[in-house]
Amino acid sequence: MPAARHLLFLCLLSSVLCFDIGQAQAPNRAASTRRVAIRAARLLDGQTDKVLKNATVLVEGDRITAVSAEPAIPVGTTLIDLGDATLLPGLIDAHTHLLDQMDGTKVMSQELEMLRIVATESTAERALLGAKLAREVLEAGITSVRDLGNSGVNGDVALRTAIRNGWAEGPRIVPSTRALAPPGGQFGRLTPEAQKLIEQEYVTINGEQSARQAVRQALYDGAGCIKVIANGPANVTFEEMKAIVEEAHLAGVKVAAHAIGNQATRVAAEAGVDSIEHAYVVPDDVLRLMAAKHIFLVPTDTTLRQLEEVVFGGRDPAAGERAQVEQEFKHYLDGNRDRLQRALKMGVPIAAGSDMYLTVPGKNRGQASLDVLEAYYNEGMTPIEVIRSATSRAAELLGLQDSTGTLEVGKVADIIAVPGDPLQDVTVLGRAKFVMKAGEVVKNSN
């Protein structure tokens, strides 16, 4: 291309890009003048345990402008009266896999299910599935998520872009791209020929420099957080984990570590990750270190009821089957409860995360994801602690605390309403009848 034409092309391209960016950042005039008042019998702000009765939230455009029991409602404001309901901030799921859906009836062979998905479903297919699941999650009242891998090659970033641009409806997404992992990722042993599939789901790290390069690549690919698999067929070393944390924090991005067991959780905590996922087995000294460093625990727990729904596939179990399942899972559920109780006692911050990737009979992805809140209650968290874990606490972990997670003036209008009072019955958190994301009504079944 001749120099003059090349220069002209660059100038035109610059103008187009500036126009696009300006358009993306320009306020929506229609949205900025739209005023909505949402009224309900009760309001919980996501931070305190104070109940505001006969509450009204005023929304202008995508922001909350007033929260009061007796607000002055401007002329021309649309009133949405939800009656005997409780207003809450939009819920947050800090551990999702929106581009992954395994057959719940094959829960005991998850490695094979993962291999099937990676070998037979393209990232494009999984992103389209993710659009469906994202809509289900949003309609359940989950307005923000942190998606932690198992999304093919950057499919979660593509889904985030689609939602941001209005091509699909779903929660705002903090994506991780492919999880960083030691050789093998979370797969079992594969033949040399099949090992090429690992890179479709994980970025293999080998050594400190490799770990740093993997973080830089993830950030370039659009990651809003970094996910690392601390233990699997192989383990991440302290030096590798420290390098990951340093590189991510240098860019202002947080690190989530899948870690189970004494050694893996200790390496993650000592290296200074921002959250430890699962931690089904974790010693007291690591929990104390997490509390001291303000490292979040994301307990991806479940209820016995949900386990039965998956195992029985929606059918009525034969005589003795239910008791057998209860006995089989008793140790697992008791262990989860013990771990969460110890973490709470030591002051470890808790953020809600479903880790939902299975089909659950009779439930869509959003409904199944919210069962985790009931699990926390069953394990000893108070209703307000459960609510905070899925609102203000989770917002802090995702780095969204300045914009969402509480119902306050100036925050983005992510608002849901559930029937009745969640302080009396936490299961109503899974039955949102009204959902608003950034000032837009997504669902109103009142």
Side-chain angles (χ1 to χ4, degrees):
M1 181 182 291
R5 289 183 63 192
H6 183 67
L7 180 60
L8 177 61
F9 173 78
L10 290 177
C11 290
L12 289 171
L13 178 61
S14 176
S15 298
V16 170
L17 290 174
C18 289
F19 175 78
D20 286 345
I21 293 170
Q23 289 290 93
Q25 294 177 341
N28 184 318
R29 294 186 183 276
S32 65
T33 57
R34 186 184 66 252
R35 295 186 179 93
V36 179
I38 307 164
R39 179 184 294 161
R42 291 166 296 278
L43 179 146
L44 289 165
D45 64 10
Q47 185 67 47
T48 70
D49 57 3
K50 180 181 178 182
V51 178
L52 180 63
K53 294 185 178 180
N54 300 315
T56 299
V57 179
L58 295 183
V59 175
E60 183 169 342
D62 66 348
R63 297 281 166 170
I64 296 171
T65 57
V67 178
S68 173
E70 297 180 356
I73 300 179
V75 175
T77 300
T78 300
L79 176 63
I80 301 175
D81 193 333
L82 299 172
D84 185 22
T86 302
L87 297 176
L88 295 152
L91 301 178
I92 299 172
D93 189 342
H95 191 125
T96 63
H97 298 288
L98 292 179
L99 280 74
D100 194 15
Q101 182 162 266
M102 296 187 188
D103 185 343
T105 65
K106 299 177 180 178
V107 67
M108 304 310 291
S109 56
Q110 292 183 25
E111 286 185 2
L112 291 177
E113 265 294 275
M114 183 185 297
L115 186 60
R116 177 193 64 78
I117 290 170
V118 175
T120 63
E121 297 179 8
S122 69
T123 298
E125 288 176 291
R126 294 172 71 176
L128 290 170
L129 169 65
K132 170 185 177 292
L133 299 179
R135 174 73 192 194
E136 294 173 355
V137 163
L138 179 59
E139 290 185 344
I142 300 170
T143 55
S144 300
V145 304
R146 187 178 58 162
D147 204 71
L148 294 181
N150 299 114
S151 55
V153 182
N154 308 330
D156 52 352
V157 175
L159 181 59
R160 177 187 65 180
T161 299
I163 292 171
R164 278 182 174 177
N165 291 344
W167 306 336
E169 289 193 333
R172 64 182 54 79
I173 297 176
V174 178
S176 66
T177 68
R178 290 175 294 169
L180 281 53
Q186 290 177 287
F187 289 108
R189 190 171 299 281
L190 301 176
T191 66
E193 294 78 12
Q195 288 178 24
K196 296 176 183 178
L197 292 172
I198 295 170
E199 294 300 320
Q200 297 297 310
E201 202 76 351
Y202 304 95
V203 176
T204 301
I205 59 172
N206 276 299
E208 180 182 343
Q209 189 57 33
S210 170
R212 291 186 186 278
Q213 290 171 346
V215 173
R216 292 170 185 169
Q217 185 65 50
L219 296 173
Y220 178 77
D221 289 338
C225 65
I226 300 297
K227 167 78 175 293
V228 55
I229 307 299
N231 56 321
N235 298 320
V236 172
T237 67
F238 172 78
E239 290 74 20
E240 290 169 336
M241 188 71 78
K242 187 66 174 176
I244 290 168
V245 171
E246 288 177 352
E247 203 66 35
H249 286 180
L250 187 64
V253 169
K254 297 186 179 185
V255 177
H258 165 111
I260 302 168
N262 294 357
Q263 184 61 22
T265 56
R266 181 171 287 105
V267 164
E270 289 180 349
V273 301
D274 298 280
S275 66
I276 294 182
E277 316 297 304
H278 318 302
Y280 300 124
V281 176
V282 56
D284 283 350
D285 66 309
V286 171
L287 290 174
R288 281 191 286 269
L289 183 59
M290 291 172 66
K293 291 188 172 186
H294 201 68
I295 296 172
F296 278 80
L297 170 64
V298 181
T300 54
D301 297 349
T302 188
T303 64
L304 176 61
R305 175 176 53 78
Q306 188 175 70
L307 289 170
E308 290 176 341
E309 289 169 346
V310 171
V311 171
F312 298 136
R315 65 178 175 83
D316 290 330
E321 277 188 297
R322 189 180 301 278
Q324 181 180 354
V325 168
E326 290 179 4
Q327 185 59 38
E328 287 178 356
F329 287 109
K330 184 178 186 302
H331 179 72
Y332 166 72
L333 295 171
D334 287 348
N336 288 352
R337 178 186 179 88
D338 172 72
R339 173 267 273 125
L340 184 57
Q341 283 292 309
R342 289 186 291 120
L344 289 168
K345 183 178 180 180
M346 295 179 192
V348 177
I350 308 295
S354 69
D355 192 27
M356 182 50 60
Y357 51 83
L358 298 172
T359 57
V360 177
K363 294 183 178 180
N364 65 31
R365 176 58 67 88
Q367 294 164 339
S369 296
L370 290 175
D371 279 346
V372 72
L373 303 182
E374 183 181 348
Y376 296 160
Y377 177 73
N378 292 344
E379 292 169 6
M381 289 179 73
T382 66
I384 193 62
E385 287 174 333
V386 172
I387 291 168
R388 286 173 183 155
S389 76
T391 54
S392 55
R393 286 294 204 177
E396 180 188 351
L397 174 57
L398 271 60
L400 301 176
Q401 67 271 22
D402 291 337
S403 59
T404 191
T406 57
L407 295 182
E408 296 179 83
V409 173
K411 291 287 184 76
V412 171
D414 287 357
I415 305 167
I416 69 168
V418 299
D421 184 354
L423 295 181
Q424 302 300 318
D425 178 9
V426 295
T427 65
V428 302
L429 295 171
R431 301 197 295 272
K433 66 179 192 175
F434 175 85
V435 179
M436 171 180 278
K437 177 193 169 191
E440 296 288 341
V441 176
V442 174
K443 174 182 177 181
N444 185 1
S445 59
N446 189 48

Coordinates of all heavy atoms in Angstrom, one line a residue, residues 412-443:
V412 N -25.2 0.3 40.8 CA -26.0 -0.2 39.6 C -27.2 -0.9 40.1 O -27.2 -1.6 41.1 CB -25.1 -1.2 38.8 CG1 -25.9 -1.8 37.7 CG2 -23.9 -0.4 38.2
A413 N -28.3 -0.7 39.4 CA -29.6 -1.2 39.8 C -29.7 -2.7 39.4 O -30.4 -3.0 38.5 CB -30.7 -0.4 39.1
D414 N -29.0 -3.5 40.2 CA -29.2 -4.9 40.1 C -30.1 -5.3 41.3 O -29.6 -5.2 42.5 CB -27.9 -5.7 40.3 CG -27.0 -5.6 39.0 OD1 -27.5 -5.0 38.0 OD2 -25.9 -6.1 39.1
I415 N -31.4 -5.6 41.1 CA -32.3 -5.7 42.1 C -33.2 -7.0 41.9 O -33.6 -7.2 40.7 CB -33.3 -4.5 42.2 CG1 -32.4 -3.2 42.4 CG2 -34.3 -4.6 43.4 CD1 -33.2 -1.9 42.2
I416 N -33.4 -7.8 42.9 CA -34.3 -8.9 42.8 C -35.4 -8.8 43.9 O -35.2 -8.1 44.9 CB -33.6 -10.3 42.8 CG1 -33.1 -10.5 44.2 CG2 -32.5 -10.3 41.8 CD1 -32.6 -12.0 44.4
A417 N -36.5 -9.5 43.7 CA -37.5 -9.7 44.8 C -37.8 -11.1 44.9 O -38.0 -11.8 43.9 CB -38.7 -8.9 44.4
V418 N -37.9 -11.6 46.2 CA -38.3 -13.0 46.4 C -39.5 -13.0 47.3 O -39.8 -12.0 48.0 CB -37.1 -13.8 47.2 CG1 -35.9 -13.8 46.3 CG2 -36.8 -13.1 48.5
P419 N -40.3 -14.0 47.2 CA -41.6 -14.0 48.0 C -41.3 -14.2 49.4 O -40.3 -14.9 49.8 CB -42.3 -15.2 47.4 CG -41.3 -16.1 46.8 CD -40.2 -15.2 46.3
G420 N -42.1 -13.6 50.3 CA -41.9 -13.8 51.7 C -40.6 -13.1 52.3 O -40.1 -12.2 51.7
D421 N -40.1 -13.8 53.3 CA -38.9 -13.2 54.0 C -37.8 -14.2 54.1 O -37.9 -15.3 54.8 CB -39.4 -12.9 55.5 CG -38.3 -12.2 56.3 OD1 -37.2 -12.1 55.8 OD2 -38.6 -11.8 57.4
P422 N -36.7 -14.0 53.4 CA -35.5 -14.9 53.4 C -34.9 -15.1 54.8 O -34.1 -16.0 55.0 CB -34.6 -14.3 52.4 CG -34.9 -12.9 52.3 CD -36.4 -12.8 52.6
L423 N -35.1 -14.1 55.7 CA -34.5 -14.3 57.0 C -35.3 -15.4 57.8 O -34.8 -15.9 58.8 CB -34.6 -13.0 57.8 CG -33.7 -11.8 57.3 CD1 -33.9 -10.6 58.1 CD2 -32.3 -12.3 57.1
Q424 N -36.5 -15.7 57.3 CA -37.3 -16.8 58.0 C -37.2 -18.1 57.2 O -37.3 -19.2 57.7 CB -38.7 -16.3 58.1 CG -39.0 -15.1 58.9 CD -38.4 -15.2 60.3 OE1 -38.6 -16.2 61.0 NE2 -37.8 -14.1 60.8
D425 N -36.9 -18.0 55.9 CA -36.9 -19.2 55.0 C -35.9 -18.9 53.9 O -36.3 -18.2 52.9 CB -38.3 -19.5 54.5 CG -38.3 -20.7 53.5 OD1 -37.2 -21.4 53.4 OD2 -39.3 -20.9 52.9
V426 N -34.7 -19.3 54.0 CA -33.6 -19.0 53.0 C -34.0 -19.6 51.6 O -33.4 -19.2 50.6 CB -32.2 -19.5 53.4 CG1 -31.8 -18.7 54.7 CG2 -32.2 -21.0 53.7
T427 N -34.8 -20.7 51.6 CA -35.1 -21.3 50.3 C -35.8 -20.4 49.3 O -35.8 -20.6 48.1 CB -35.9 -22.6 50.5 OG1 -37.2 -22.3 51.0 CG2 -35.2 -23.6 51.4
V428 N -36.4 -19.3 49.8 CA -37.1 -18.4 48.9 C -36.1 -17.6 48.0 O -36.5 -17.1 47.0 CB -38.0 -17.4 49.7 CG1 -39.0 -18.1 50.5 CG2 -37.2 -16.4 50.5
L429 N -34.8 -17.7 48.4 CA -33.8 -17.0 47.6 C -33.7 -17.7 46.2 O -33.2 -17.1 45.2 CB -32.4 -17.1 48.3 CG -32.3 -16.3 49.6 CD1 -31.0 -16.6 50.3 CD2 -32.4 -14.8 49.3
G430 N -34.1 -18.9 46.1 CA -34.1 -19.7 44.9 C -35.4 -19.5 44.1 O -35.6 -20.2 43.1
R431 N -36.3 -18.6 44.5 CA -37.6 -18.4 43.8 C -37.8 -16.9 43.5 O -38.9 -16.4 43.8 CB -38.7 -19.0 44.7 CG -38.5 -20.4 45.0 CD -39.9 -21.1 45.5 NE -40.4 -20.5 46.7 CZ -40.0 -21.0 47.9 NH1 -39.1 -22.0 48.0 NH2 -40.5 -20.5 49.0
A432 N -36.9 -16.3 42.9 CA -37.0 -14.8 42.6 C -38.2 -14.7 41.6 O -38.3 -15.4 40.6 CB -35.7 -14.3 41.9
K433 N -39.0 -13.7 42.0 CA -40.2 -13.4 41.1 C -40.0 -12.1 40.3 O -40.8 -11.8 39.4 CB -41.5 -13.3 41.9 CG -41.6 -12.2 42.9 CD -42.9 -12.3 43.6 CE -43.2 -11.0 44.4 NZ -44.6 -11.1 45.0
F434 N -39.0 -11.3 40.7 CA -38.6 -10.1 40.0 C -37.1 -10.0 39.9 O -36.4 -10.2 40.8 CB -39.2 -8.9 40.7 CG -38.8 -7.6 40.1 CD1 -39.5 -7.0 39.1 CD2 -37.7 -6.9 40.6 CE1 -39.1 -5.8 38.6 CE2 -37.3 -5.7 40.1 CZ -38.0 -5.1 39.0
V435 N -36.6 -9.7 38.7 CA -35.2 -9.5 38.4 C -35.0 -8.3 37.6 O -35.6 -8.2 36.5 CB -34.6 -10.8 37.7 CG1 -33.1 -10.6 37.5 CG2 -34.8 -12.0 38.5
M436 N -34.1 -7.4 38.1 CA -33.7 -6.3 37.3 C -32.1 -6.3 37.2 O -31.5 -6.5 38.3 CB -34.2 -5.0 37.9 CG -33.6 -3.7 37.3 SD -34.2 -2.2 38.1 CE -35.7 -2.0 37.3
K437 N -31.6 -6.1 36.1 CA -30.1 -6.0 35.9 C -29.8 -4.7 35.2 O -30.3 -4.4 34.1 CB -29.6 -7.1 35.0 CG -28.1 -7.0 34.8 CD -27.6 -8.0 33.7 CE -26.2 -7.7 33.3 NZ -25.8 -8.4 32.0
A438 N -29.0 -3.8 35.9 CA -28.6 -2.5 35.4 C -29.8 -1.7 34.9 O -29.8 -1.1 33.9 CB -27.6 -2.7 34.3
G439 N -30.9 -1.7 35.7 CA -32.0 -0.9 35.4 C -33.0 -1.5 34.4 O -34.1 -0.9 34.2
E440 N -32.7 -2.6 33.9 CA -33.6 -3.3 32.9 C -34.3 -4.4 33.6 O -33.7 -5.3 34.2 CB -32.8 -3.8 31.7 CG -32.1 -2.7 30.9 CD -33.1 -1.9 30.1 OE1 -34.2 -2.3 29.9 OE2 -32.7 -0.8 29.7
V441 N -35.7 -4.4 33.4 CA -36.4 -5.5 34.0 C -36.3 -6.8 33.2 O -36.6 -6.8 32.0 CB -37.9 -5.2 34.1 CG1 -38.7 -6.3 34.6 CG2 -38.1 -4.0 35.0
V442 N -35.7 -7.8 33.8 CA -35.5 -9.1 33.1 C -36.7 -10.0 33.3 O -37.1 -10.8 32.4 CB -34.2 -9.8 33.6 CG1 -34.0 -11.2 33.0 CG2 -33.0 -8.9 33.3
K443 N -37.3 -10.0 34.5 CA -38.4 -10.9 34.9 C -39.3 -10.2 35.9 O -38.8 -9.5 36.8 CB -37.8 -12.1 35.5 CG -38.8 -13.1 36.1 CD -38.0 -14.3 36.7 CE -38.9 -15.3 37.4 NZ -38.1 -16.4 38.0

